[in-house]
């Protein structure tokens, strides 16, 4: 029966005519001789300029590899089939499939107190004895209403600070309250605590284990670098972090503890050492992050201490080292590259707030500050600590989830910052992979749309994506490694 | 399209400006504007109409850079790239609108038979015993 169902091979090789029509695509110069073309859903093909011009002018020969690649990846329609348009619509619908679920990440800033003194602190922490900077239980209760008001089936409740363990009693109360309500609501709820682990006790970790709470901590690199970045009175931040990580792993579970780093000027000279520290500590990945322009990072001028170009040198060096480690048998990945590769090589969306259009502010993430105020993102509340409340969406004493999500302020922000329509983003070849970050552009340029030629966000993403595409095209071994990072 | 440079009045203290002239019968004004926008990080941009269907673009560096070798091939090429983008956008607008409508609609607009018919009836003739494929209706 199968033999009867399929025709002879010659049938599939025959061409129905030689003319073709273009499907929508964008393009970007990759290097001095090549361009990367991306279609509506982010499938890409790399061609030289002559091929690009021939393709646009309908002069590309059907028997060439370039033609076959462009056809296979839905850049053209010819007489053989019209299915490409259907497939593009289906894939685009898949990419946007999480939008109707709205907010899935809810951040509770349970306190702004912290016992560290990091000069790059983006949250503008307060000293640990100032309880006026703790979230009140009444506000936490109202914030829990938001968690159960969202249409999203899968939600994450994340505790941040300051140092959230300084208000662990409230964390316990919130977790138990959510679990209690969820016996009726039946959502899939994940909990995360973002903590420096310096104050963690076995009792706290036991609670985390019993309630399946994930731990996200900070590890900036080897001991001297970490302690330099994250001062403590006894200069023991690294030792406490490592001790906390090991104890958390022992009690909560090895795979339930993750770490994040922040790149400071001191970090720029040690890309390999930072990666090696993560590998040595048994982490499966690292997220190479630049400093964000908020909080003390601005006050102490930490944010001005290096340029985006310098960070890109650091990033490429660290990425090269990670790829090398993979090639000698060490399984380890870079998480930002993983996110981008998922967008480049699959039609599936990511939940990373900074790489979404419409922007992830509000509709992916809501932040409940210790004051009861509601912010569109973590960065938005950091901005608020600098007396800029542009992205304040409401207050727990006054507003419901519906009020916040349908507010004119949020809708206007999302509408004006779609990458599909912003200057330079609308026709950018990497638009399918990039995102809108209105908070960053407001903070750095005074305009949430932003001027992309001078945007550090744009420069960073363009160059990282170009670098990944060049690796995929020019380095088969690196390409093989990168494909294993798609999550 | 021509690219020329001119010395400013006080060439020792002020950066050189570059002047480009474009025929709007060959490239679109939108393409030139979009190309110039991409250079606004490093250059002040000025547009002046020319007699007939031309436009002059003056790029003045914001800093004293020795950028002549970098800019000369770069800006005209960027204009051509933008013109290409305009061509693609014009040609693909109808199909793009159709794909968008299909994306956000619960109906099949491009192949209603293929998507909604009963596959048991082989509406697309896939099992045609002659081996020849029939075009979708």
């Amino acid at each position: 029966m199968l033999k009867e169902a399929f025709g002879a091979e010659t049938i599939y090789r025959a061409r129905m005519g030689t003319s073709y029509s273009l499907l929508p695509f964008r393009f970007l110069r990759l290097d001095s001789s090549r361009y990367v073309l991306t279609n509506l859903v982010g499938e890409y093909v790399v061609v030289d300029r002559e091929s690009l011009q021939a393709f646009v002018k309908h002069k590309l020969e059907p028997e060439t590899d370039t033609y076959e690649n462009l056809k296979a990846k839905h850049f053209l329609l010819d007489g053989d089939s019209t299915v490409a348009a259907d497939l593009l619509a289906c894939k685009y619908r898949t990419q946007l499939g999480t939008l109707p679920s709205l907010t899935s990440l809810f951040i509770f800033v349970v306190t702004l107190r912290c016992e560290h003194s990091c000069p790059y602190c983006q949250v503008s922490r307060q000293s640990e004895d100032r309880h006026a900077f703790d979230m009140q239980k009444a506000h936490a209760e109202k914030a829990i209403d938001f968690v159960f008001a969202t249409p999203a089936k899968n939600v994450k409740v994340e505790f941040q600070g300051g140092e959230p363990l300084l208000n662990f009693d409230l964390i316990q109360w919130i977790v138990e309250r959510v679990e209690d309500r969820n016996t009726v609501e039946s959502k899939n709820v994940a909990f995360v605590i973002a903590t420096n682990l310096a104050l963690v006790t076995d009792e706290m970790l036991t609670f985390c284990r019993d309630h399946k709470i994930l731990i996200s901590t900070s590890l900036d690199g080897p001991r001297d670098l970490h302690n330099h970045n994250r001062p403590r009175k006894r200069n023991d931040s690294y030792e406490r972090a490592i001790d906390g990580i090991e104890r958390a792993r022992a009690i909560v579970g090895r795979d339930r503890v993750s770490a994040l780093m922040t790149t400071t000027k001191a970090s720029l000279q040690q890309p390999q050492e930072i990666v090696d520290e993560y590998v040595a500590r048994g982490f499966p990945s690292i997220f190479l992050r630049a400093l964000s322009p908020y909080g003390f990072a601005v006050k102490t001028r930490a944010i001005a201490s290096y340029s985006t170009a310098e960070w890109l040198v650091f990033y490429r060096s660290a990425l090269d080292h990670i790829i090398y480690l993979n090639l000698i048998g060490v399984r380890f990945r870079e998480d930002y590259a993983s996110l981008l590769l998922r967008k480049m090589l699959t039609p599936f969306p990511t939940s990373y707030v900074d790489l979404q259009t419409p922007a992830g502010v509000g509709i992916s993430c809501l932040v409940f500050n210790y004051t009861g105020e509601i912010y569109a993102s973590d960065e938005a509340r950091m901005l608020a600590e600098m007396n800029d409340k542009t992205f304040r969406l409401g207050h727990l004493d006054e507003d419901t989830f519906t009020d916040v999500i349908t507010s004119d302020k949020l809708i206007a922000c999302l509408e004006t910052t779609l990458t599909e329509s912003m200057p330079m983003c609308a026709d950018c070849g990497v638009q399918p992979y990039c995102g809108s970050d209105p908070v960053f552009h407001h903070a750095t340029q005074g305009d949430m749309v932003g001027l992309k030629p001078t945007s550090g966000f744009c420069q960073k993403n363009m160059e990282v994506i170009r670098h990944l595409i060049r690796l995929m095209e020019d380095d088969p071994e690196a390409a093989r490694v990168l494909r294993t990072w798609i999550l | 399209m021509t690219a020329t440079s001119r010395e400013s009045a006080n060439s020792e203290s002020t950066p050189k400006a570059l002047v480009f002239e474009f025929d709007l019968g060959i490239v679109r004004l939108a393409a030139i504007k979009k190309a110039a926008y991409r250079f606004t990080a490093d250059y002040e941009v000025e547009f002046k109409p020319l007699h007939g269907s031309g436009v002059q673009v003056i790029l003045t560096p914001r800093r004293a850079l020795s950028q002549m070798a970098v800019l000369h091939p770069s800006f005209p090429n960027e204009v051509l790239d933008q013109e290409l983008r305009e061509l693609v956008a014009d040609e693909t607008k109808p199909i793009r609108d159709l794909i968008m409508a299909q994306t956000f609609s619960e109906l099949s607009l491009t192949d209603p038979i293929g998507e909604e018919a009963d596959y048991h009836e082989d509406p697309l003739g896939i099992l045609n015993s002659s081996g020849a494929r029939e075009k979708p209706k």
Side-chain angles (χ1 to χ4, degrees):
Chain A
M1 189 173 87
L2 281 176
K3 196 175 178 181
E4 290 174 0
F6 289 98
E9 186 180 335
T10 51
I11 293 171
Y12 300 99
R13 291 197 175 278
R15 290 274 168 253
M16 306 282 270
T18 58
S19 64
Y20 61 88
S21 55
L22 304 180
L23 286 168
F25 73 93
R26 301 177 176 89
F27 61 88
L28 179 77
R29 193 182 298 262
L30 184 62
D31 53 34
S32 59
S33 60
R34 297 179 298 178
Y35 286 79
V36 57
L37 281 56
T38 55
N39 67 14
L40 272 181
V41 297
E43 291 162 301
Y44 76 87
V45 175
V46 175
V47 301
D48 56 40
R49 189 183 175 81
E50 292 71 32
S51 297
L52 170 61
Q53 286 188 313
F55 174 53
V56 175
K57 292 176 181 175
H58 297 261
K59 293 181 178 176
L60 197 64
E61 292 297 327
E63 302 302 322
T64 59
D65 287 346
T66 300
Y67 185 97
E68 295 292 341
N69 282 336
L70 289 168
K71 180 174 177 178
K73 293 189 176 183
H74 317 315
F75 284 80
L76 64 88
L77 279 172
D78 63 16
D80 287 350
S81 169
T82 58
V83 74
D86 248 335
L87 288 175
L88 282 172
C90 180
K91 291 180 184 181
Y92 201 36
R93 200 183 298 130
T94 300
Q95 280 190 345
L96 302 173
T98 56
L99 274 180
S101 298
L102 292 176
T103 318
S104 59
L105 173 61
F106 297 91
I107 297 177
F108 288 64
V109 182
V110 294
T111 182
L112 204 59
R113 295 180 289 135
C114 186
E115 33 48 86
H116 272 61
S117 302
C118 308
Y120 67 73
C121 178
Q122 294 153 138
V123 307
S124 307
R125 79 210 175 269
Q126 297 292 329
S127 58
E128 58 192 298
D129 57 346
R130 302 184 71 183
H131 290 268
F133 294 89
D134 287 358
M135 176 180 274
Q136 300 307 306
K137 198 175 282 186
H139 285 150
E141 178 80 75
K142 290 174 181 175
I144 292 171
D145 290 341
F146 278 61
V147 174
F148 291 105
T150 180
K153 181 70 175 171
N154 303 312
V155 297
K156 183 181 288 184
V157 173
E158 186 169 310
F159 300 103
Q160 292 208 12
E163 170 46 59
L165 295 186
L166 283 168
N167 199 0
F168 192 73
D169 287 346
L170 184 62
I171 291 176
Q172 285 180 292
W173 186 85
I174 292 170
V175 169
E176 289 168 346
R177 187 80 185 102
V178 167
E179 289 176 339
D180 184 52
R181 283 187 63 170
N182 203 36
T183 56
V184 175
E185 305 279 356
S186 298
K187 288 188 185 292
N188 299 319
V189 182
F191 297 101
V192 182
I193 301 177
T195 167
N196 59 40
L197 286 177
L199 303 172
V200 75
T201 64
D202 286 356
E203 290 73 26
M204 292 176 181
L205 292 173
T206 300
F207 181 85
C208 291
R209 179 200 64 199
D210 294 344
H211 296 270
K212 298 184 175 58
I213 300 173
L214 300 167
I215 302 291
S216 175
T217 191
S218 295
L219 182 63
D220 281 359
R223 180 188 180 281
D224 289 348
L225 176 62
H226 183 96
N227 283 340
H228 170 81
N229 285 352
R230 304 176 68 80
R232 250 181 135 258
K233 287 177 185 171
R234 295 180 182 176
N235 197 34
D236 61 351
S237 178
Y238 175 85
E239 286 78 5
R240 283 179 168 266
I242 299 301
D243 178 66
I245 289 167
E246 294 307 321
R247 286 164 54 214
R249 282 172 168 170
I251 297 175
V252 181
R254 190 173 185 82
D255 60 346
R256 305 194 74 78
V257 182
S258 63
L260 285 173
M261 57 81 70
T262 299
T263 310
T264 63
K265 190 167 180 66
S267 310
L268 293 180
Q269 310 308 317
Q270 305 185 45
Q272 294 186 15
E273 291 83 351
I274 293 168
V275 170
D276 288 343
E277 178 70 22
Y278 269 69
V279 173
R281 293 298 158 194
F283 289 106
S285 66
I286 187 171
F287 198 128
L288 295 171
R289 303 193 304 173
L291 269 177
S292 295
Y294 312 105
F296 290 1
V298 175
K299 285 185 185 175
T300 61
R301 297 191 60 76
I303 190 62
S305 62
Y306 62 85
S307 64
T308 303
E310 289 173 294
W311 181 85
L312 285 165
V313 171
F314 163 84
Y315 180 85
R316 284 191 288 263
S317 178
L319 187 67
D320 284 348
H321 183 58
I322 295 171
I323 292 172
Y324 163 74
L325 289 174
N326 275 267
L327 292 174
I328 62 171
V330 179
R331 293 195 66 171
F332 191 80
R333 70 179 183 273
E334 200 282 308
D335 286 329
Y336 197 61
S338 287
L339 289 167
L340 290 168
L341 288 164
R342 179 181 169 92
K343 299 182 79 141
M344 288 163 60
L345 300 176
T346 84
F348 302 114
T350 73
S351 58
Y352 187 61
V353 174
D354 294 353
L355 288 178
Q356 293 185 23
T357 177
V361 293
I363 57 174
S364 285
C365 167
L366 284 174
V367 178
F368 308 112
N369 208 5
Y370 64 95
T371 55
E373 291 170 306
I374 305 166
Y375 289 93
S377 70
D378 206 23
E379 289 75 17
R381 67 108 174 176
M382 295 172 189
L383 209 57
E385 296 300 333
M386 301 163 64
N387 297 316
D388 183 342
K389 296 191 176 184
T390 301
F391 296 93
R392 177 188 186 280
L393 298 180
H395 198 285
L396 288 167
D397 287 337
E398 297 159 5
D399 300 296
T400 65
F401 177 78
T402 302
D403 292 337
V404 167
I405 290 298
T406 59
S407 64
D408 289 343
K409 179 185 263 192
L410 179 60
I411 301 294
C413 171
L414 297 175
E415 205 170 29
T416 55
T417 61
L418 289 163
T419 60
E420 289 85 348
S421 56
M422 285 195 291
M424 209 166 123
C425 295
D427 52 29
C428 178
V430 300
Q431 181 274 337
Y433 315 134
C434 199
S436 173
D437 196 341
V439 181
F440 178 95
H441 288 102
H442 171 80
T444 57
Q445 299 182 326
D447 178 339
M448 62 177 75
V449 172
L451 182 69
K452 295 308 183 303
T454 56
S455 163
F457 177 86
C458 177
Q459 184 186 8
K460 179 189 81 171
N461 283 330
M462 262 204 193
E463 289 312 313
V464 170
I465 293 167
R466 273 196 178 107
H467 186 63
L468 289 174
I469 293 175
R470 282 193 289 262
L471 286 173
M472 295 291 290
E473 289 292 305
D474 303 334
D475 190 336
E477 284 189 320
R480 184 167 50 83
V481 169
L482 293 175
R483 285 197 181 90
T484 67
W485 293 359
I486 301 168
L487 299 176
Chain B
M1 175 167 64
T2 59
T4 60
S5 64
R6 66 168 185 230
E7 298 282 344
S8 58
N10 184 355
S11 59
E12 288 186 359
S13 61
T14 54
K16 296 174 185 175
L18 287 170
V19 180
F20 299 87
E21 294 180 353
F22 297 94
D23 182 342
L24 294 179
I26 298 174
V27 293
R28 290 165 234 219
L29 184 59
I32 299 168
K33 286 180 178 176
K34 288 181 181 179
Y37 181 81
R38 288 170 181 256
F39 284 79
T40 51
D42 295 321
Y43 301 92
E44 298 281 349
V45 179
E46 191 181 351
F47 283 78
K48 287 184 178 176
L50 295 174
H51 291 298
S53 62
V55 67
Q56 186 182 75
V57 182
I58 302 167
L59 296 174
T60 306
R62 294 179 188 273
R63 296 171 297 278
L65 304 170
S66 57
Q67 80 289 3
M68 303 293 282
V70 174
L71 178 63
H72 248 288
S74 176
F75 183 63
N77 277 353
E78 183 61 36
V79 171
L80 288 175
D81 281 355
Q82 293 296 342
E83 176 65 22
L84 217 56
R85 290 188 177 99
E86 295 294 315
L87 277 172
V88 172
D90 281 351
E91 182 175 330
T92 60
K93 186 180 187 312
I95 188 70
R96 184 177 188 277
D97 289 347
L98 181 64
I99 293 169
M100 286 294 154
Q102 173 81 340
T103 296
F104 294 105
S105 164
E106 292 185 352
L107 306 171
S108 171
L109 302 175
T110 58
D111 186 12
I113 293 174
E115 279 208 16
E116 297 172 18
D118 184 351
Y119 66 90
H120 292 104
E121 298 173 8
D122 188 21
L124 300 180
I126 295 171
L127 289 176
N128 186 328
S129 60
S130 69
R133 283 185 295 140
E134 295 177 358
K135 282 188 180 181
K137 294 176 185 157

